[in-house]
Structure formats: C-alpha cells, structure tokens
C-alpha cells in the first residue's frame, strides 16, 4: 500500500523547470525578507525607526555593490530588471544613438526612448552577437552610441563574447549597457570584468523575492542619472519612491547565497538535452557557450503551445521563451534572429532552478519522450 502511495505522490509532484521566468525563493532570502518586513521605519526618516531601516538598506547596498565590484553609491535599487534597464536607457543616454542586439529581452527592445535613433544588431546562427556588424555600426556615425547587449540570453542561455564587445565599444567611445538579469547568481562576473558602463540585475531571477532589482554603474564616483520619476529624491535623486526594503534585503541575501554556494547545473542540463535530442529535438544555440541551466529545445512540426500543454498535464513546468508577455505563447524573436524561422514557434525553454534534483530531470525526460512520441504533427499537439 505504501509503495502505491509513494508512486502516486511521485507522479503528482510538480516539477518546476522555469527558473528563467523566476527562481524559487531561497531560504536565506525568505529569512532576510521576513526580518526586514518587521521593521516599521521608512529608510528616509531621520528618527530611530527610520535609521534602523536605513541601516538594513545600506548594508544591502554595500553587499550588492561589493559582489559586483562597484562603489556603493553606484548601486541604484529599482523595482526589478525591467526598470533597471529602462532607467539606464533613459537616464544615461542623452545625446546618444542606440545599438540594440536582435535577441535582447523586450524590456530593452521596447525601452529605447521615443524618437531616439536605433539600429538593431544582428546575431550569428549560434545566437552570439555579430562583432563585425557591431564595429561597422559604431564606425559609420560620429554620434556616440549606447550599446545594449545582454550577458546571457533568457531563452537560449547563449553567452555573448562580452570581452570583445566591450573592447570594441571602448575603441569607439560607446556606452555599453549590459542586461545581466539571467546571468547574475549563475556565473561569476563583475561590472569591471564585463567591461560594462552600466549593468542591470533582478532579485527574483536569483532566488530572491519579486519587486527588487538594481542598476549598477561603473566608476569610483556616483554617476549622474536622470530619474524616470523624481518622487522624494530617494537613491541619491536617481530613482524616486520609498525603497521596498524587504525585497531589497531578500535580493542581497539571495545573491550572497548564490555566490557563496555556486552550483554547476550543466551536467544535469546535458543529461536532459541528450535525452531530448534522442527524442527528436534540436538544441537551439547549442554550439555557443551557454548558461549551465538553460536549454531551448525545438521539435519540428510540434507547436510550442501544444508541447507546454502536454508537459503541464504531466506536472512539468517549462515555458516557450520569455514569460513576460502576459502569459502569451508566441513566435520567438530570439530564434527568428538566429535564422531558425521554422523552429521559432516550435521551441520550449527548460531552465533549471538552483534547487533542482536529478529526479526532476528524470521526470522531465520521461514526460518529454512521451510527449514527443504522441504529439501530432498535424495538430501541433
């Protein structure tokens, strides 16, 4: 009787493999969040309760700044990665033209200030930025450029050749803004090692709570940033609004936990990819360096929405690219930019969370094989 119950529980257990949408909350972040939430004071208040809240805020700022090797006053807390990206693009780009990678997140693609000149930079078939195209775009106009390139792609996990990109940007005096939302906590880097002038991170992609992110700026002195909204002059006048202290404390704690106990998930990713390929899948971007937790798996003739439905019925949670489109399943602009037009609507994203277990991978492999064998190429299910 117990074995039947155990088997039923195993079958009903939900396997969460959508970390690039949001990571499970780390226990360290939960503890920090709850502790900060018990504080009554506003960090901007000068009385004792306010000073206690301010101490938590500035400790978190110091910790995040140290982990990315920036000056504490160049760590600006925001509501998340989208705001951090848009704040950089609007607050640091005056007089610049924009060069935006073709596979950037919509937060960046749609974040270009209205009326600003913008050119889309192509990627190669492996998903990495075309360096020749970048140099040509920088050389063709004397107007200074604001270059936006993500460190790791949210759909494929592909890592751009950031050392070469940064060197090319320096050569032409361009500002390099890096969306590091997917990379933070999953690989070792700093603002200096990436060559970024500005860099965005998000708490809930690291295992922290939703509602906090940060814009990190290079240089020893506090950088001037035109705020999106002034509010009460918080964040040195660069981002108005009372800081979400519990979310910020959780962000810092999650980041510290991720960096102190890094986990290489590439062997588990490779295991599921090998099984998926055996079932008929193509790994999109598989030829390029990638994050160890991310796979983009395309099944020719099987629409992504049908794949998601079948896997969800098997209690396996994955996605079809970005989760930031109001729950919609659409064609992937990332795969289209890579020249994979036929597969752009037939790929799912599997992204392993920090607490994934091998049993989760085994369940995915079983569910994926069953889905691939039974899916109808006519209906796309």
């Amino acid at each position: 009787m117990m074995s039947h119950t155990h088997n039923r529980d195993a079958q009903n257990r939900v396997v969460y493999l959508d970390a690039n949408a949001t990571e499970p909350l780390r226990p360290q972040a939960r503890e920090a969040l709850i502790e900060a939430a018990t504080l009554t004071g506003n960090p901007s208040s000068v009385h004792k309760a306010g000073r206690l809240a301010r101490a938590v805020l500035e400790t978190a700022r110091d910790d995040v700044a140290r982990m990315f090797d920036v000056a504490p006053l160049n760590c600006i807390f925001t509501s998340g990665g989208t705001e951090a990206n848009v704040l950089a693009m609007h607050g640091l780009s005056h007089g610049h033209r924009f060069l935006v990678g073709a596979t950037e997140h919509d937060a960046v693609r749609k974040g270009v200030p209205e009326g600003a000149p913008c050119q889309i930079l192509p990627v190669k078939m492996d998903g990495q930025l075309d360096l020749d195209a970048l140099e040509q775009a920088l050389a063709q106009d004397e107007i200074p450029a604001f270059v936006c390139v993500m460190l790791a792609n949210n759909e494929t996990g592909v890592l751009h050749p950031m050392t070469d990109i940064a060197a090319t940007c320096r050569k032409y005096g361009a500002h390099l803004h890096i969306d590091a939302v997917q990379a933070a906590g999953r690989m070792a880097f700093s603002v200096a090692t990436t060559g970024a002038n500005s860099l965005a991170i998000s708490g809930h992609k690291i295992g922290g709570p939703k509602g906090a992110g940060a814009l990190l700026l290079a240089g020893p002195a506090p950088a001037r940033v035109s705020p999106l909204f002034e509010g009460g002059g918080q964040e040195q006048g660069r981002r108005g609004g009372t800081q979400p202290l519990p979310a910020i404390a959780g962000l810092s704690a999650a980041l510290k936990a991720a960096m102190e106990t890094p986990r290489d998930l590439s062997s588990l990713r490779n295991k599921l990819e090998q099984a998926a390929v055996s079932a008929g899948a193509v790994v999109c971007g598989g030829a390029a360096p990638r994050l160890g937790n991310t796979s983009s798996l395309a099944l020719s003739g099987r629409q992504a929405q049908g794949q998601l439905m079948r896997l969800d019925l098997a209690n396996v949670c994955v996605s079809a690219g970005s989760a930031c489109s109001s729950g919609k399943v659409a064609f992937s602009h990332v795969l289209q930019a890579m020249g994979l037009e036929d597969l752009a609507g037939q790929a799912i994203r599997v992204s392993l969370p920090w607490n994934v277990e091998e049993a989760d991978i085994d369940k995915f492999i079983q569910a994926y094989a069953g889905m691939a064998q039974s899916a109808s190429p006519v209906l796309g299910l």
Side-chain angles (χ1 to χ4, degrees):
M1 183 69 176
M2 289 183 63
S3 62
H4 289 302
T5 302
H6 177 77
N7 290 338
R8 187 168 60 250
D9 290 343
Q11 292 174 352
N12 292 334
R13 185 172 61 89
V14 174
V15 171
Y16 182 80
L17 302 178
D18 196 16
N20 288 11
T22 191
E23 285 271 14
L25 189 65
R26 293 176 183 266
Q28 299 91 335
R30 180 182 293 107
E31 182 179 348
L33 183 156
I34 293 172
E35 185 174 344
T38 63
L39 296 175
T40 301
N42 186 316
S44 297
S45 298
V46 297
H47 49 59
K48 185 172 183 178
R51 294 197 304 273
L52 289 173
R54 170 65 69 172
V56 172
L57 176 68
E58 297 308 328
T59 296
R61 192 188 313 278
D62 290 346
D63 288 344
V64 173
R66 174 178 46 80
M67 286 183 272
F68 289 101
D69 195 22
V70 299
L73 288 179
N74 277 339
C75 172
I76 304 171
F77 287 122
T78 66
S79 63
T82 293
E83 188 192 341
N85 280 315
V86 175
L87 177 58
M89 296 173 73
H90 285 250
L92 296 168
S93 66
H94 305 297
H96 287 67
R97 59 193 172 99
F98 280 83
L99 301 178
V100 176
T103 58
E104 295 303 295
H105 192 280
D106 277 347
V108 170
R109 295 202 308 155
K110 297 178 181 179
V112 177
E114 186 175 356
C118 181
Q119 180 177 345
I120 301 300
L121 299 172
V123 298
K124 299 181 294 184
M125 288 195 69
D126 65 0
Q128 289 193 311
L129 192 74
D130 187 323
L131 294 173
D132 291 336
L134 171 63
E135 179 138 24
Q136 290 172 12
L138 288 170
Q140 72 183 11
D141 199 320
E142 294 184 358
I143 299 175
F146 195 95
V147 179
C148 299
V149 181
M150 60 190 359
L151 182 50
N153 186 264
N154 54 300
E155 292 189 23
T156 62
V158 167
L159 302 174
H160 287 297
M162 206 54 70
T163 299
D164 294 331
I165 292 171
T168 304
C169 288
R170 284 195 300 271
K171 176 180 176 181
Y172 291 94
H175 180 109
L176 176 59
H177 173 70
I178 295 178
D179 176 354
V181 164
Q182 295 295 345
R186 296 175 181 158
M187 58 182 286
F189 66 92
S190 69
V191 170
T193 58
T194 61
N197 298 103
S198 55
L199 184 147
I201 64 170
S202 176
H204 75 101
K205 307 288 189 176
I206 302 167
K210 301 171 185 67
L215 174 61
L216 306 170
L217 306 171
R224 295 187 62 182
V225 180
S226 298
L228 295 173
F229 39 87
E230 295 190 12
Q234 293 89 348
E235 297 300 293
Q236 300 83 49
R238 298 174 293 186
R239 196 274 184 185
T242 300
Q243 296 92 341
L245 192 60
I248 289 171
L251 181 161
S252 174
L255 187 59
K256 189 180 300 184
M259 289 189 169
E260 289 179 351
T261 56
R263 188 180 178 196
D264 184 1
L265 299 174
S266 58
S267 60
L268 292 177
R269 180 205 64 191
N270 293 343
K271 178 180 177 178
L272 76 84
E273 286 184 351
Q274 290 166 6
V277 169
S278 297
V282 173
V283 180
C284 304
R290 289 178 294 149
L291 285 176
N293 82 314
T294 305
S295 300
S296 176
L297 305 174
L299 267 180
S300 181
R302 273 64 168 176
Q303 292 302 310
Q305 185 170 7
Q307 296 181 54
L308 294 184
M309 290 169 60
R310 287 187 179 274
L311 291 172
D312 191 50
L313 288 172
N315 287 327
V316 175
C317 300
V318 296
S319 67
S322 175
C324 302
S325 301
S326 300
K328 295 180 291 186
V329 178
F331 280 74
S332 166
H333 75 275
V334 172
L335 300 189
Q336 288 177 321
M338 293 166 62
L340 302 175
E341 295 282 346
D342 294 341
L343 300 179
Q346 301 169 358
I348 64 169
R349 179 185 67 186
V350 184
S351 45
L352 311 184
W354 62 269
N355 60 350
V356 67
E357 300 176 2
E358 188 152 14
D360 300 329
I361 305 302
D362 293 337
K363 182 166 182 176
F364 169 83
I365 290 172
Q366 181 182 14
Y368 191 86
M371 179 267 296
Q373 292 168 5
S374 64
S376 166
V378 176
L379 297 177
L381 296 175

